Amino acid sequence: MLEILNESSNPELSRKLLAKVMNLANLYKDKYGRLPAIMEVCGSHTMALARTGIKKSLKDHVKLISGPGCPVCVTDQKSIDAMIQLAEGENRIICTFGDMIRVPGTKRSLMEAKTEGREIRVVYSPVDAVEIAKKHSDKEVVFLGIGFETTIPVLTVALKMADDEGITNFSMWLTTKLVEPIIRHLLESEVVKIDGFLLPGHVSIVLGKNSYQYLVDEYQMPGVISGFESVEMLSSIYKLLQLLLQEKAEIINDHRSIVTDKGNQVAQKLMETYLTLSDEAWRGIGIIKNSGLDLREEYAHLNAKKRFNMTVGEPRKTACRCGEIIRGIITPEECSLFNKACTPLHPIGPCMVSSEGTCAAHYQYMREE
Ligand code: SF4
């Protein structure tokens, strides 16, 4: 597995760091009689840890638990059903990010609806959807806006653009998620033992280091903000293990070149201007109070939920265990469908569809042949 670390921009340093992490993890195991349990909050870390071989290399030393930070994986079926229902109306164009198109809804996916002739387009940015609305003023253009704090500012840029330019045929179906409420939910529900958090560098650019202080003050929980290169992730895991061994609850910013204490205040202001806290449904978990952001009342004209006044039924129960996967309760191998009925070619749940999904990461990089 060490060969995989050759993909690193600095393979020699990666290997040295890996050995140091293993040594420290062994000290932890000697002291506490079990492996340290570290949750990587975001899907980008899940994929990067799997791709670089770090997860597999450390499996007997550190319990790296994949968390709930893959936006596609946590989006509830209802939102996908709503998009399909919207696409069935006359003169509509539905725009979405790439991964969402293959996620199964209650009866079918957006891809299947597209095959049936519905106008559903994959865009790289919500701003592209605003451009489509400008070109097709005779059609209603709806963007399915998912994401955590990394993506939400980009969504608000598109909302601002549509609002400033008075584009009346554009709206968003927002189903955004926030990092803090789901971390609190995990810690308070105690469904999984967590000793510390590997915190996402990109979300932290927006939120800032200080936004995690509640972990220390209220939960006595350490965390390290990390980048996504193998050297960066190993360095952060090492620092987290040091904190755990010293029994120190502290937040370390290990991504100092781009993460500041207060975060990106321009992005925060933009979010505050257009959005307000909302109760959000998390796939497999249910509604968590104030766990997302939706449009403020004064921007109701940009809110697809209000504009189209739709009611969407209850999601269908399936054997997919993504709800447990995103909370780190089980690993993909513990789902009976993994690598049998459920593969990237025939995904049953979003964790196998998403490029940041835990099941997809295990299938691609950690599967035993
Ligand atoms: Fe869902 Fe497939 Fe993952 Fe099982 S393997 S939890 S069915 S996505």
Side-chain angles (χ1 to χ4, degrees):
M1 191 46 57
L2 289 179
E3 303 83 64
I4 291 182
L5 290 171
N6 284 327
E7 284 185 7
S8 158
S9 57
N10 193 335
E12 205 185 318
L13 182 56
S14 293
R15 278 191 286 273
K16 278 186 187 156
L17 275 169
L18 184 66
K20 287 179 75 155
V21 167
M22 285 174 174
N23 283 340
L24 222 49
N26 292 344
L27 287 179
Y28 184 97
K29 194 177 169 194
D30 290 345
K31 187 170 175 185
Y32 297 100
R34 64 173 176 83
L35 301 189
I38 294 176
M39 175 173 274
E40 83 266 7
V41 175
C42 90
S44 305
H45 269 148
T46 296
M47 206 34 112
L49 287 165
R51 191 182 59 246
T52 52
I54 293 173
K55 201 157 203 164
K56 208 163 178 180
S57 301
L58 287 179
K59 75 176 172 21
D60 297 326
H61 305 271
V62 180
K63 190 173 178 197
L64 284 168
I65 307 162
S66 300
C70 154
V72 173
C73 308
V74 297
T75 300
D76 67 324
Q77 274 185 341
K78 278 185 168 190
S79 293
I80 294 157
D81 293 343
M83 287 301 102
I84 294 169
Q85 204 178 314
L86 271 178
E88 284 167 348
E90 287 293 304
N91 287 330
R92 308 252 171 95
I93 301 175
I94 305 304
C95 298
T96 176
F97 290 131
D99 279 353
M100 285 305 292
I101 200 156
R102 293 179 60 229
V103 178
T106 303
K107 294 198 180 104
R108 59 205 203 281
S109 66
L110 284 160
M111 176 71 96
E112 285 161 316
K114 185 177 166 70
T115 313
E116 289 162 13
R118 309 297 172 204
E119 190 150 6
I120 296 165
R121 299 191 189 181
V122 171
V123 292
Y124 291 107
S125 154
V127 169
D128 296 343
V130 180
E131 293 296 344
I132 291 170
K134 282 175 21 184
K135 279 192 199 127
H136 298 274
S137 54
D138 57 327
K139 295 193 175 184
E140 285 286 339
V141 176
V142 184
F143 182 76
L144 171 52
I146 66 157
F148 283 86
E149 287 95 331
T150 340
T151 316
I152 300 172
V154 185
L155 301 177
T156 55
V157 167
L159 290 166
K160 183 174 183 338
M161 183 176 163
D163 196 41
D164 287 351
E165 297 185 27
I167 297 160
T168 54
N169 63 324
F170 174 81
S171 59
M172 261 192 211
W173 185 286
L174 278 177
T175 174
T176 64
K177 305 286 190 285
L178 300 174
V179 171
E180 181 177 334
I182 190 65
I183 288 185
R184 284 183 182 275
H185 176 86
L186 282 173
L187 291 174
E188 281 161 27
S189 58
E190 294 181 344
V191 286
V192 59
K193 169 80 184 151
I194 302 166
D195 296 309
F197 285 100
L198 193 66
L199 298 164
H202 47 18
V203 164
S204 307
I205 294 171
V206 176
L207 294 178
K209 179 195 168 202
N210 294 350
S211 69
Y212 300 111
Q213 195 53 36
Y214 66 94
L215 282 174
V216 174
D217 297 343
E218 297 176 47
Y219 302 97
Q220 295 75 53
M221 182 67 59
V224 179
I225 299 168
S226 174
F228 298 90
E229 266 276 316
S230 49
V231 169
E232 294 173 320
M233 293 185 291
L234 287 164
S235 155
S236 300
I237 294 169
Y238 183 79
K239 287 176 185 170
L240 192 46
L241 288 173
Q242 279 183 319
L243 289 178
L244 292 177
L245 277 164
Q246 292 160 7
E247 301 188 353
K248 265 195 198 164
E250 205 177 285
I251 303 297
I252 293 177
N253 182 358
D254 204 20
H255 208 34
R256 294 179 75 94
S257 54
I258 39 179
V259 175
T260 61
D261 283 354
K262 291 185 177 166
N264 183 336
Q265 286 169 67
V266 176
Q268 290 168 15
K269 181 80 198 139
L270 206 52
M271 291 196 283
E272 230 179 271
T273 305
Y274 285 91
L275 309 173
T276 186
L277 285 171
S278 59
D279 301 343
E280 280 295 323
W282 296 67
R283 187 181 281 248
I285 298 176
I287 290 177
I288 301 180
K289 205 165 169 43
N290 291 335
S291 63
L293 295 171
D294 208 345
L295 277 146
R296 286 185 179 279
E297 201 46 49
E298 53 267 45
Y299 299 106
H301 54 288
L302 292 165
N303 189 339
K305 289 173 198 159
K306 298 210 166 144
R307 197 171 178 128
F308 299 100
N309 194 25
M310 293 187 338
T311 46
V312 181
E314 284 306 309
R316 175 174 50 110
K317 289 237 178 307
T318 70
C320 170
R321 299 179 71 184
C322 279
E324 291 158 274
I325 295 278
I326 60 177
R327 285 177 287 171
I329 299 171
I330 62 162
T331 63
E333 289 76 9
E334 290 173 84
C335 170
S336 61
L337 305 180
F338 179 76
N339 196 21
K340 293 186 182 86
C342 184
T343 64
L345 267 184
H346 299 285
I348 292 189
C351 300
M352 188 60 94
V353 176
S354 172
S355 56
E356 296 188 345
T358 305
C359 299
H362 277 240
Y363 185 91
Q364 266 180 275
Y365 302 110
M366 299 175 67
R367 182 167 41 117
E368 304 294 345
E369 296 296 342

